[in-house]
Amino acid sequence: MARRLVGVGVVPGDVVGVHLERGPELVVSLLGVLKAGAAYTLLDPAFPAERLATVVTDAEVRVLVTRDDLSRPLPPSGIRRVLLDRDAALIASLDDSDLGLVCGGSGAACVMFTSGSTGRPKGVVAPHRALVSTFVGPDYLGFCADDVYLQSSPVSWDAFALEVFGALFHGGRTVLPVGSRTDLDEVAALVAGCGVTVLQLSASLFNVLVDDFPGLFAGLRAVMTAGEAASVSHVARVCARHPGLRVLNGYGPVESMGFTTSHVVGGVVEGAGSVPIGVPLAGKRVFVLDGGLCAVPVGVPGELYVAGSGLAFGYVGRAGLTGERFVACPFGGAGERMYRTGDVGRWRADGALEFLRRADDQVKVRGFRIEPREVEAVLSGHERVVQCAAVVREDRPGDRRLVAYAVPGPDAKAVDPG
């Protein structure tokens, strides 16, 4: 695969778009991109064509790996395509010896897109160093060759890297469901049927599985919840029912390759208001700072800044935003930077971090990082919408939903609520 990519002109530093459904072809393509010295960006076939086109343009994708039956919604010209179905025989005939390319830790490995406050998603450029240092070295999950992971996160998430590379870097296995989305019954069936031992879940999905599929956790060695504030009651229930299960609560933005801190939950103290997000992984650092970038005392809320080996380069094509969010680190060496997360937290007396809230209006729903203004920007573009607002409602504890309200123009037709 890597030799085919080099043959169509891919050189170190390029960004290659991978537009495939979950399956072995997807993983082979990612590894081929990395072996060719390039960076991958994952294009979820479930995304609207407009969003895919934005990602392709912003990431300056020059080569696209896809299949003929999937390539229709993508930009029709200006991009070289490697069609795995049409080119299968050619790829199989190529020399499979090592290309001899050396990718240093500072080379770009992937571009991951997240929500943007202006209504346009922003691409986070992460180096090989961030990828490797997050999944090789730190032992928050007890990585080993015997583990079986379930790749249940959307392929565009940073959690996808844990579910794939967390297994492959250590000789383990990852189970790949068919299609872009996995329903709850399928998750439960795959965990039981494929002998899954490690499961990574958004907090919302974790809560639903605890409520509706409590037996799913019995065969696991470890489960990690992240992406949103963990539910104290749901974590407590799992710990009580499965005392031998390794339960972790993780935290970290995509700008730090996702997992930046981790907390092994040994039990939940009665009356606790939150589950700690723990301590930084090896090679990563977290600072709790005030408005003047001074460290605040234990127990005092402050904004969370992250630094260390997991840090991304910045946002592709967004120098101004990169300079705003990736700032000089006053606690490191010359040229070292840290990322301003926009999250508010505090150090606890026991040395663990506690997440408190957002400092802005960004929200998390089922693990998705959402800028309400991005939703509002799309809605306000409709010719019959005069005003709109997007908010998160939680009518039932643990069931957070994104809801939009719109004020129609005078020409809009009335909608029958029945």
Side-chain angles (χ1 to χ4, degrees):
M1 187 67 208
R3 198 168 292 278
R4 175 58 177 159
L5 292 171
V6 171
V8 298
V10 171
V11 297
D14 281 351
V15 177
V16 176
V18 178
H19 180 246
L20 295 167
E21 299 278 4
R22 274 191 301 218
E25 286 183 337
L26 174 62
V27 178
V28 169
S29 298
L30 296 186
L31 296 177
V33 171
L34 295 173
K35 283 180 69 68
Y40 67 81
T41 190
L42 288 166
L43 303 167
D44 192 333
F47 280 177
E50 294 80 7
R51 174 140 185 156
L52 294 176
T54 297
V55 170
V56 167
T57 300
D58 287 0
E60 299 181 355
V61 171
R62 296 180 59 247
V63 174
L64 185 69
V65 179
T66 185
R67 298 178 60 88
D68 191 43
D69 57 342
L70 288 175
S71 64
R72 306 305 182 197
L74 296 167
S77 62
I79 298 177
R80 189 72 182 269
R81 282 170 165 75
V82 174
L83 300 175
L84 297 186
D85 43 359
R86 288 191 181 184
D87 299 346
L90 173 59
I91 294 171
S93 70
L94 296 175
D95 181 7
D96 62 359
S97 62
D98 186 22
L99 288 170
L101 293 172
V102 177
C103 301
S106 59
C110 56
V111 181
M112 298 170 287
F113 278 79
T114 184
S115 61
S117 58
T118 62
R120 190 177 186 92
K122 48 184 184 281
V124 180
V125 186
H128 284 270
R129 175 178 56 249
L131 195 64
V132 174
S133 67
T134 301
F135 306 119
V136 178
D139 202 27
Y140 50 101
L141 269 177
F143 295 107
C144 67
D146 294 330
D147 275 330
V148 180
Y149 291 71
L150 177 63
Q151 202 289 286
S152 59
S153 299
V155 299
S156 59
W157 283 19
D158 51 350
F160 168 88
L162 169 69
E163 295 164 342
V164 173
F165 295 116
L168 299 185
F169 284 176
H170 299 275
R173 290 177 289 158
T174 185
V175 177
L176 303 170
V178 177
S180 296
R181 295 292 179 265
T182 309
D183 64 33
L184 298 179
D185 290 321
E186 185 180 8
V187 169
L190 289 171
V191 168
C194 298
V196 171
T197 60
V198 179
L199 201 55
Q200 194 284 137
L201 303 165
S202 68
S204 294
L205 181 54
F206 177 85
N207 296 346
V208 173
L209 292 176
V210 171
D211 289 336
D212 298 342
F213 298 86
L216 172 146
F217 299 89
L220 297 177
R221 180 186 66 79
V223 61
M224 188 171 194
T225 179
E228 305 165 83
S231 163
V232 174
S233 63
H234 288 85
V235 171
R237 268 187 277 165
V238 167
C239 289
R241 290 172 182 167
H242 308 283
L245 177 64
R246 187 181 180 95
V247 181
L248 300 99
N249 187 34
Y251 164 83
V254 63
E255 289 84 353
S256 184
M257 191 48 73
F259 299 99
T260 304
T261 71
S262 176
H263 176 70
V264 178
V265 184
V268 178
V269 178
E270 185 176 351
S274 67
V275 179
I277 57 175
V279 297
L281 306 186
K284 299 189 178 187
R285 288 179 291 164
V286 178
F287 307 104
V288 184
L289 309 178
D290 62 17
L293 298 186
C294 294
V296 300
V298 172
V300 176
E303 186 167 358
L304 303 182
Y305 287 74
V306 299
S309 57
L311 210 62
F313 291 131
Y315 303 111
V316 61
R318 311 275 291 271
L321 184 60
T322 297
E324 177 186 333
R325 306 301 297 186
F326 292 83
V327 299
C329 179
F331 312 101
E336 188 170 350
R337 302 174 307 149
M338 58 184 183
Y339 171 70
R340 181 181 181 184
T341 68
D343 293 327
V344 176
R346 64 186 172 196
W347 291 108
R348 302 188 342 161
D350 61 3
L353 277 165
E354 181 181 12
F355 172 83
L356 297 176
R357 62 183 182 277
R358 284 291 299 176
D360 55 23
D361 60 355
Q362 186 185 96
V363 296
K364 284 283 190 78
V365 178
R366 294 190 294 278
F368 287 91
R369 196 164 96 175
I370 298 171
E371 300 275 3
R373 282 182 289 177
E374 181 179 346
V375 178
E376 292 167 0
V378 174
L379 290 175
S380 63
H382 194 284
E383 59 183 6
R384 295 185 177 179
V385 173
V386 176
Q387 289 181 307
C388 61
V391 298
V392 171
R393 291 184 54 165
E394 191 171 356
D395 297 329
R396 292 190 308 161
D399 183 19
R400 291 164 59 84
R401 296 170 182 255
L402 184 67
V403 178
Y405 300 88
V407 177
D411 298 330
K413 295 180 180 180
V415 177
D416 182 359

